[in-house]
Amino acid sequence: MLRTVLFDFDGTLADTLPLIYRSFCEVFRRFGEEELDDAGIAARFGPPEEVILERCLPRHCLQQAHDVYFQLYREHHTRLVRSDEAVLELLNWLKERGANVGVVTGKGRRSAAISAELLGMDGLVDWWVTGTEIKRYKPEPDGIRLAMRHFGARPEETVYVGDMSVDVMAGKAAGVSTVGVCWFAKEKTCSFQPEPDAVFSEVKAFRRWLEERLD
């Protein structure tokens, strides 16, 4: 039986990719030696935003680049981020059931706090592990293991939910159950390597799966 449900954030609890691409593109246009398209930005995903900028931009403009990125992230959040009321209902339901609810994400603490505030998720997540708190990023299991230690959770009582193969890889490396989701994808065709324990394209179907497994 499950007691702890851990989620990835970007693409899992909210469709934040358009905002992330928009913010990075503008920052690289202003401060970078080359402009990056969405594919070029996605290729650098893994660490938090601050680390990506540090790896790609000259040192002398880093502080200004950081400030501009997070200004853009907040300014365009409401317009560019797609959320789903069913996701908020799921988090509320998990809290009512007494489950431990955590987020393990590669995004930094600062952007995570902005999104949690603007999406109304403050108070619905018990514990956040962001890329700011860890040194090794997914597919390494460090973030998941840190969240499990916080909750005192055993692997057999824990599930990790994400929208990318690296999420499944990290969950398996941590020894927990894994769920792949694609409810924010334009094409509701979920494909993961390796295969997770379950795959869902609708939030309600995932909730029914949890109902059978929650302690």
Side-chain angles (χ1 to χ4, degrees), residues 93-151:
W93 173 76
L94 285 169
K95 293 284 289 180
E96 292 171 356
R97 289 288 299 262
N100 300 318
V101 179
V103 168
V104 179
T105 176
K107 74 190 302 96
R109 172 65 62 174
R110 189 171 172 182
S111 61
I114 293 170
S115 287
E117 172 196 344
L118 296 180
L119 292 170
M121 291 184 182
D122 283 334
L124 298 181
V125 176
D126 299 310
W127 189 253
W128 291 73
V129 176
T130 73
T132 303
E133 287 83 51
I134 56 177
K135 299 297 184 183
R136 299 195 307 165
Y137 314 110
K138 293 180 288 187
E140 300 297 334
D142 300 32
I144 295 174
R145 287 175 174 166
L146 182 58
M148 290 169 65
R149 286 197 295 272
H150 171 79
F151 288 120

Side-chain angles (χ1 to χ4, degrees), residues 79-98:
R79 180 172 63 87
L80 293 180
V81 171
R82 184 163 57 103
S83 59
D84 188 337
E85 188 63 31
V87 170
L88 294 178
E89 292 173 357
L90 173 66
L91 296 177
N92 268 304
W93 173 76
L94 285 169
K95 293 284 289 180
E96 292 171 356
R97 289 288 299 262

Side-chain angles (χ1 to χ4, degrees), residues 184-197:
F184 286 115
K186 292 180 181 178
E187 299 293 335
K188 301 289 186 176
T189 302
C190 300
S191 177
F192 299 92
Q193 287 295 331
E195 289 289 330
D197 296 297

Side-chain angles (χ1 to χ4, degrees), residues 170-185:
K172 288 184 178 295
V176 305
S177 298
T178 56
V179 168
V181 302
C182 60
W183 42 61
F184 286 115

Side-chain angles (χ1 to χ4, degrees), residues 16 19-20 23 37 43 45 50 54 56 59 95 97-98 126 134 147 153 161 163-164 171 186 194 203-204:
T16 51
L19 173 63
I20 292 169
S23 301
D37 59 11
F45 284 173
E50 294 90 340
E54 287 166 10
C56 298
R59 183 180 299 272
K95 293 284 289 180
R97 289 288 299 262
D126 299 310
I134 56 177
V161 185
D163 69 312
M164 299 183 68
K186 292 180 181 178
V203 178
K204 290 181 179 179

